[in-house]
C-alpha cells in the first residue's frame, strides 16, 4: 500500500486539480497523518487479546513464512489494491496528491502496527504465528476465523520479531 500511495501521490502532484497543488498537498499531509494513526490503532485490542491467548505451536500446526503470507494476501486483495490506486489517482483531479497520500498513510499505519507487534514479540522473546488453515483467501491476521496466535522461539524459521528478515552472520571457518 505504501508504494502504491507514493506512486499515486506523485502522479497526483503532477496534475493541477480543481483546488490547486498547495491545498491538495496540505490536505494530503493531514490525511496521511490521520490515516496512519487510525490504521495503526484500529483493532489493537483484538491483536492484544490474540497475543495474550497465544499458545505454543504444536508439532501438527502448519505455519508459513511471513513473506509467503504477504504474497498470498496481495494475491487475494489484488483487485482491491488496484481499485484503491485508481481511486487515489482519480481523486487527484480534485485534490492533487491527497488520495495517494491517504493510501500511503494506510500503508504507514500497517507498518506501525507491525512494529508494535514486533516490540511485543521482542519483549516476550517469541515469534507469533497464525495457523495457515485459519486464514481464508489470504485472510486477515486478526479475523474472526483466527482463534489465537501460536508462538515459537526466536530461532524458528528465517524471521525475526516484527516480520523483518533475520540477518545472516558470516561464520568463520
Amino acid at each position: 500500500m505504501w508504494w502504491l500511495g507514493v506512486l499515486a501521490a506523485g502522479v497526483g502532484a503532477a496534475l493541477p486539480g480543481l483546488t490547486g497543488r498547495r491545498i491538495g498537498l496540505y490536505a494530503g499531509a493531514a490525511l496521511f497523518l490521520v490515516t496512519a494513526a487510525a490504521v495503526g490503532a484500529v483493532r489493537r485490542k483484538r491483536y492484544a487479546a490474540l497475543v495474550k491467548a497465544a499458545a505454543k505451536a504444536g508439532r501438527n500446526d502448519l505455519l508459513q513464512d511471513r513473506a509467503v503470507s504477504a504474497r498470498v494476501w496481495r494475491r487475494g486483495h489484488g483487485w482491491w489494491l488496484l481499485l484503491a490506486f485508481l481511486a487515489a489517482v482519480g481523486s487527484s483531479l480534485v485534490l492533487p496528491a491527497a488520495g495517494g497520500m491517504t493510501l500511503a498513510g494506510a500503508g504507514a499505519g500497517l507498518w506501525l502496527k507491525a512494529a508494535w507487534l514486533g516490540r511485543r514479540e521482542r519483549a516476550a522473546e517469541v515469534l507469533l504465528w497464525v495457523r495457515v488453515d485459519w486464514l481464508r483467501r489470504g485472510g486477515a491476521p486478526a479475523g474472526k476465523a483466527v482463534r489465537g496466535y501460536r508462538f515459537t522461539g526466536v530461532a524458528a524459521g528465517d524471521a525475526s520479531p516484527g516480520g523483518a528478515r533475520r540477518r545472516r552472520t558470516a561464520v568463520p571457518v
Side-chain angles (χ1 to χ4, degrees):
M1 267 191 214
W2 165 260
W3 289 112
L4 286 176
V6 169
L7 181 64
V11 170
L15 302 172
L18 293 176
T19 60
R21 283 189 188 99
R22 185 171 49 170
I23 292 173
L25 290 173
Y26 283 139
L31 286 170
F32 176 88
L33 294 174
V34 168
T35 304
V39 170
V42 72
R43 298 191 73 175
R44 210 171 256 214
K45 288 181 183 178
R46 170 78 174 147
Y47 279 94
L50 289 171
V51 169
K52 188 176 181 179
K56 186 171 189 250
R59 193 175 269 269
N60 295 327
D61 284 341
L62 184 60
L63 308 172
Q64 70 185 6
D65 184 44
R66 294 172 192 205
V68 175
S69 298
R71 187 172 54 243
V72 169
W73 187 90
R74 277 192 308 268
R75 284 183 185 157
H77 295 85
W79 286 106
W80 290 107
L81 290 172
L82 177 65
L83 288 174
F85 174 74
L86 292 175
V89 170
S91 71
S92 295
L93 297 172
V94 177
L95 274 173
M101 292 176 82
T102 304
L103 187 59
L110 289 174
W111 179 82
L112 287 171
K113 191 177 291 187
W116 174 73
L117 277 171
R119 285 191 301 274
R120 293 192 73 141
E121 286 178 328
R122 280 188 196 92
E125 293 184 2
V126 297
L127 290 178
L128 297 170
W129 303 84
V130 178
R131 286 181 42 174
V132 176
D133 54 337
W134 289 349
L135 294 175
R136 297 182 185 157
R137 293 181 44 229
K144 291 179 184 176
V146 177
R147 294 184 286 268
Y149 288 153
R150 300 292 192 237
F151 69 85
T152 61
V154 292
D158 60 350
S160 63
R165 286 266 177 218
R166 180 176 302 176
R167 293 187 180 137
R168 304 276 182 203
T169 56
V171 179
V173 197

